[in-house]
Amino acid sequence: MFSSARSIIATLILSTIVVGTPPLAGSESWSDFFRDLFSIADYESIIEDECKLTEQLNRKDQLILGRLAAKNLIIERLSEKKISFFQAAACFHFIQKESNDLIELSDRNFKHLPKETQSAINLLQWTKPNSSLIESQKENYEQFKFEVEKAECEGIAINLPHPPPDLLANLMN
């Protein structure tokens, strides 16, 4: 009955015309089916674009995970009293400066402030849930919080020291 592949394809097309549905799932009409069928080059460019997007997302994932690990390391050193709140804020500022291609996740109300002050505010937000850290360094925390609030109200940059070199070396890796 079917002597060649051509007759099989013709029978398939005729049977789908009789039934009225396109032969490919996802094609809503025959015009969509034929447009999809003859646009193979477009599929190749779509696949390339998807691969590029996947690479970009993977890179951003790595940056976010690296930042999270760095921030956790800073908070850990702060809780061990190896660094001060001002040094921790300087480390946060360093992280923000080094990966500026990734949007910083901070409150939109602080976007008008200098980056140093934003970093100090981010540190306050990260230490807020850690009440044991705040209680262990109550005086230092209160002084730091006062300086940050003052800089925030005046809209100026808070004066931050250089981050500790040993911590910077860990943050760079």
Side-chain angles (χ1 to χ4, degrees):
M1 180 169 178
F2 298 111
S3 61
S4 69
R6 209 180 277 172
S7 62
I8 293 173
I9 293 172
T11 305
L12 176 66
I13 290 175
L14 287 176
S15 65
T16 55
I17 290 174
V18 171
V19 175
T21 60
L24 289 178
S27 297
E28 295 179 12
S29 67
W30 281 101
S31 62
D32 289 343
F33 167 69
F34 285 115
R35 186 184 70 235
D36 292 345
L37 183 65
F38 294 112
S39 63
I40 301 289
D42 291 340
Y43 283 129
E44 289 174 356
S45 66
I46 289 171
I47 289 171
E48 287 175 6
D49 291 343
E50 291 295 323
C51 288
K52 288 178 186 174
L53 180 62
T54 301
E55 288 174 10
Q56 284 179 334
L57 290 175
N58 287 338
R59 186 177 153 274
K60 285 190 177 188
D61 285 347
Q62 292 300 318
L63 278 172
I64 290 171
L65 290 174
R67 282 180 140 193
L68 183 61
K71 288 178 180 182
N72 287 334
L73 178 65
I74 293 167
I75 298 296
E76 179 183 313
R77 293 277 176 94
L78 187 60
S79 65
E80 294 171 351
K81 297 182 181 181
K82 292 183 178 178
I83 60 173
S84 69
F85 280 94
F86 287 97
Q87 288 174 322
C91 291
F92 273 46
H93 181 250
F94 175 79
I95 293 169
Q96 189 175 9
K97 268 190 345 189
E98 287 304 309
S99 56
N100 59 1
D101 60 336
L102 185 66
I103 297 170
E104 181 65 25
L105 303 175
S106 61
D107 194 340
R108 294 182 191 272
N109 296 328
F110 305 124
K111 290 292 182 185
H112 68 282
L113 294 173
K115 297 289 184 192
E116 293 87 355
T117 307
Q118 287 182 28
S119 300
I121 291 171
N122 286 339
L123 176 62
L124 286 175
Q125 291 174 350
W126 271 72
T127 56
K128 194 178 289 185
N130 194 344
S131 60
S132 62
L133 170 65
I134 294 171
E135 289 299 319
S136 68
Q137 298 186 30
K138 185 87 169 157
E139 289 179 23
N140 294 335
Y141 176 77
E142 292 299 328
Q143 178 189 2
F144 178 71
K145 185 176 177 185
F146 175 75
E147 292 290 328
V148 172
E149 288 172 351
K150 180 180 165 187
E152 180 184 348
C153 289
E154 295 175 3
I156 60 173
I158 192 167
N159 189 17
L160 297 176
H162 291 291
D166 63 325
L167 193 54
L168 275 183
N170 287 340
L171 296 178
M172 299 286 281
N173 292 332

